[in-house]
Amino acid sequence: MSAESPGARDRISRLRRAFRHWRWQRPFWAGLLTLLAGLPIGYLPYANVTLGQLTVRMSTTAGSGSLIIGVLLIVLGLTMWFQPVVRVFAGVATILLGLVSLPVSNFGGFLVGFLLALFGGGMSVAWAPGEAPAAQPAKDAGPAPDGGADGEDGAAGPDGGEPEPATAGAAPDQESRNGRHRAG
């Protein structure tokens, strides 16, 4: 008897498929990078680093500004996940907050938060929802090619008639016009 029941495996598989479906309908990775950008920007100005007997405080005079930027980036990351309609606004706001974090928050969380914010915001602006593929009717392929008397293997051209010539472009007299040549 197995320690793992098949019902648990089915539930895990169903949960993975549901999460994958949820993730594909929104800018998931952009939201994750934006969330991760908010952590170093909001945390590092309040952190104390101890090196042996030496304690280094990285707090800045704009510590509250760093905390506000970090919290806003986390909120924008969650907005990308749960309100994908406003992804462009959230992406632009993420990029702007990342840029503002450079002078305010220890060079944007020592450039880690800054870079994560730029990549997350850019991915959010660039993301577009996928379209469901429309069901297309099958085209009538016509009669099956028969090898023919010309020794060909039956490969027909795009119109179903003669095979396409090996130089699948324009005729040689059309390849050059006014000194311009086609690429390839």
Side-chain angles (χ1 to χ4, degrees), residues 59-82:
S59 63
T60 63
T61 57
S64 60
S66 299
L67 183 63
I68 290 170
I69 290 172
V71 169
L72 283 175
L73 284 173
I74 291 171
V75 168
L76 285 171
L78 292 172
T79 301
M80 290 175 198
W81 280 355
F82 296 109

Side-chain angles (χ1 to χ4, degrees), residues 45-98:
Y46 295 102
N48 291 330
V49 177
T50 304
L51 302 170
Q53 297 284 333
L54 180 65
T55 300
V56 178
R57 296 200 62 181
M58 291 183 260
S59 63
T60 63
T61 57
S64 60
S66 299
L67 183 63
I68 290 170
I69 290 172
V71 169
L72 283 175
L73 284 173
I74 291 171
V75 168
L76 285 171
L78 292 172
T79 301
M80 290 175 198
W81 280 355
F82 296 109
Q83 295 293 328
V85 176
V86 294
R87 68 188 180 278
V88 175
F89 167 77
V92 170
T94 298
I95 292 170
L96 290 176
L97 285 172

